[in-house]
Amino acid sequence: VDPHFIFNSLHSISALTTTDAAAARTMCLLLADFLRDTLRLGSSSRISFADEWSLAERFLAIEQVRLGSRLNVARDSDPHAADCPVPPLLLQPLVENAVIHGIAQLVEGGTIRMTSHREGPTLTVTVENPCDPDRVRTRGVGLGLELLRQRLTTEFGMYDAVRAEEQSGRFKVEVRIPVAASHTS
């Protein structure tokens, strides 16, 4: 979890205490639940995809309080993906990047689209967000995506498990990982 997220959340809570105490309280509770679940789930080598999805949704709920109507989320999760075992915090760098490098940089904000699909022995997760096509570009894939790629290469032996592309002002990351044979349907 990016420390800036925690600091931004705490600053937002502080600002909300004088303008919207109910929103500040909501954000405090969301942040506490998110951090508690991150610590609990992060200590496991594998968690259910349903738990991972839920953690990503908690993160986005906090950011929705902070960003308001600028952040929308469209979700489509395959029910067959729920029991798939995945490394914890698989989605975290994807949703953080979608907010930080996408939505937060756009005056009008936008919609993050999260999808999951299980097909046989493969779980595919996609996170897509709008981005400023005229922003200053960095070379290569960002650090969060590179660390995720390295982690999945180590765990599954698949360097191409993470694919990122940008087209027409949309940034899309697709993660494909194998599902253990004992969990296939």
Side-chain angles (χ1 to χ4, degrees):
V1 176
D2 187 343
H4 288 101
F5 160 69
I6 296 169
F7 298 136
N8 287 341
S9 296
L10 292 172
H11 285 271
S12 294
I13 291 167
S14 176
L16 285 170
T17 59
T18 59
T19 60
D20 189 345
R25 178 171 165 68
T26 297
M27 198 165 178
C28 277
L29 295 172
L30 289 169
L31 183 60
D33 287 344
F34 173 78
L35 293 174
R36 185 179 308 108
D37 285 347
T38 299
L39 291 172
R40 180 178 56 84
L41 297 172
S43 65
S44 302
S45 64
R46 294 283 189 275
I47 63 173
S48 73
F49 183 70
D51 284 341
E52 179 64 20
W53 187 271
S54 177
L55 194 60
E57 286 191 326
R58 284 180 189 263
F59 170 84
L60 290 169
I62 294 165
E63 292 292 28
Q64 281 182 307
V65 174
R66 189 171 73 84
L67 295 171
S69 63
R70 293 179 54 222
L71 173 59
N72 297 294
V73 181
R75 303 161 179 87
D76 183 17
S77 185
D78 180 353
H80 295 103
D83 291 331
C84 293
V86 299
L89 303 175
L90 174 77
L91 292 175
Q92 189 61 33
L94 305 181
V95 293
E96 276 191 27
N97 282 349
V99 171
I100 294 167
H101 301 295
I103 305 302
Q105 302 299 316
L106 299 170
V107 172
E108 69 281 1
T111 300
I112 294 173
R113 298 191 189 290
M114 294 177 22
T115 62
S116 71
H117 177 71
R118 175 164 178 197
E119 189 170 323
T122 304
L123 172 64
T124 303
V125 182
T126 305
V127 176
E128 184 178 355
N129 59 275
C131 60
D132 180 358
D134 298 324
R135 71 189 182 287
V136 175
R137 311 256 175 185
T138 57
R139 292 180 50 196
V141 177
L143 181 61
L145 292 178
E146 187 55 35
L147 291 174
L148 179 60
R149 178 175 284 128
Q150 289 173 10
R151 187 172 157 209
L152 296 179
T153 298
T154 300
E155 292 192 39
F156 299 108
M158 303 170 53
Y159 182 76
D160 65 344
V162 179
R163 297 179 184 155
E165 70 176 5
E166 182 181 335
Q167 238 177 15
S168 305
R170 304 243 1 126
F171 193 81
K172 178 181 175 181
V173 179
E174 180 180 89
V175 177
R176 297 172 51 92
I177 60 172
V179 176
S182 63
H183 289 61
T184 57
S185 49

